[in-house]
Amino acid sequence: MRGAVLHGPGDVRVEDRPDPAIVEPTDAIIRVTAACVCGSDLWPYRGVDTSDGPAPMGHEYVGVVEQIGDQVETIKAGDFVVGSFFASDNTCEICRAGYQSRCVHAELIGAIGTQAQYARIPLADGTLVATPAMPEPDLVPSLLTASDVLGTGWFGAVAAEAGPGKTVAVVGDGAVGLLGVLAAKQLGAERIVIFSRHADRQKLAVGFGATDVITERGDQGVARLKELTGGLGAHSVIEAVGTQESMMQAIRATRPGGHVGYVGVSHGVDLPGEELFFSGVHLHGGPAPVRRFLPELIGLIWDRTIDPGKVFDLDLPLEQAAEGYRAMDERRAVKTLLRP
C-alpha cells in the first residue's frame, strides 16, 4: 500500500509500505477513506520532535472495515467507522471514567500511521464507532474531524467548563482552536472570544460562533480580554497551542475560579508555582479522550447540526501529502485533508 513517511525535518514522502494484517484477535483492518495532517504532526516535521529513522505518519482517520479479528464483536466488515487517535479497550477503569486516551492498554495510532491506504486498528471494539449507514460524501470531512481535531477542541471546551452564561476565550486559531469555538457554541457559551491575527481564520471562527476577535497576543491580549470582561477575565479558556507563551496567556486570561482546558501538545512549558497558586485557576487537559465523545459528535454531524469539516481548506490526494505539510507549516492552510 501507499503511505506517508517522515524521513527527517521537512522530508515527507509517500512510498510503498507493507499492507497491514491482523496481529491480535481484537484488531481490525480498515480501508482509509480520508485522513489528514494534524497540527501536532508539524512538531516532528519541523524537527522539534525527533525520531530514530523513517516514521509512518498520521493518526486521524475514517474508513471502511475490511477485516476483523476473531474477538471483535461490535463492528463488522463493510461498516464505515470513525476512530480515536488513541486505541483503547473502553472497558478498563480509566476508560469507564471517561479518559480513554489514558486507557491502561492505550496504543498511539500515530505509531501505526493512518496517512495511508489501509490501517490496522488495535482494540477495535473500544476504538472504532460505526456510523448509522454509509455517509454521503459531503459528510466525510466532518466525520474525519471527530477522529481528533473536533474531539480535541470539544474536550478543551468541556475541560474549561464552557457552558451557558460563560465567557469563553480561545488561545490558538489553528484547527483545534477553531473547533473549540464550535464546541463552546454548542455547549451554550454566551460569549466566545478568539485570539487571532489571521483574517481567514477569524472568518472561520466567527462562522463557528465566535462573538469577539482579539488580535493582540501575550500580555497585551490578556489586557484586551480583561477590558472586554470588566477587568475579570474569561470564565473558561481553551489553550490550543502548547507553548510557554500560550499557556501563560491562557492562565492569565482566566478569572479567579475559572477553568483552563489545555489541549495543545506541551513543548517547553514550565508553570511558575507562585503565580499559579495565587491565580485561583483550575487547570485540566491533556490528550483528548476522543472516544468518550465520538457517539455524540457523530450524531451531531450525521444530523447536520454542525459542520466542522469547514476547517479543511486544502483537499489533496495522498500522493501530494508533502505539499499538504508544507502548506500547513507555511500557514497557507489551516488543515489539509488527504484522500488515499
Side-chain angles (χ1 to χ4, degrees), residues 171-182:
V171 179
D173 63 356
V176 170
L178 291 168
L179 293 180
V181 169
L182 181 153

Side-chain angles (χ1 to χ4, degrees), residues 69-216:
D70 292 343
Q71 294 180 17
V72 176
E73 298 178 352
T74 62
I75 61 168
K76 62 185 186 302
D79 282 348
F80 189 94
V81 292
V82 184
S84 168
F85 65 96
F86 265 104
S88 61
D89 59 30
N90 208 34
T91 58
C92 78
E93 191 170 334
I94 303 302
C95 285
R96 292 198 308 273
Y99 290 86
Q100 291 91 336
S101 59
R102 307 313 303 145
C103 172
V104 297
H105 299 118
E107 293 188 45
L108 188 58
I109 298 294
I112 292 168
T114 58
Q115 292 167 8
Q117 291 177 306
Y118 296 89
R120 179 183 69 87
I121 307 301
L123 303 170
D125 279 334
T127 304
L128 301 173
V129 177
T131 57
M134 195 61 62
E136 295 294 326
D138 68 311
L139 283 182
V140 169
S142 286
L143 290 168
L144 175 59
T145 66
S147 182
D148 178 356
V149 65
L150 172 60
T152 295
W154 198 275
F155 178 54
V158 168
E161 300 210 356
K166 300 284 187 71
T167 293
V168 180
V170 181
V171 179
D173 63 356
V176 170
L178 291 168
L179 293 180
V181 169
L182 181 153
K185 175 71 171 178
Q186 284 299 306
L187 293 169
E190 182 176 301
R191 191 174 195 181
I192 304 170
V193 183
I194 188 161
F195 293 95
S196 175
R197 299 179 296 170
H198 303 89
D200 55 339
R201 297 169 189 239
Q202 293 169 7
K203 183 177 179 180
L204 266 174
V206 170
F208 285 143
T211 57
D212 300 86
V213 175
I214 294 177
T215 56
E216 295 88 351

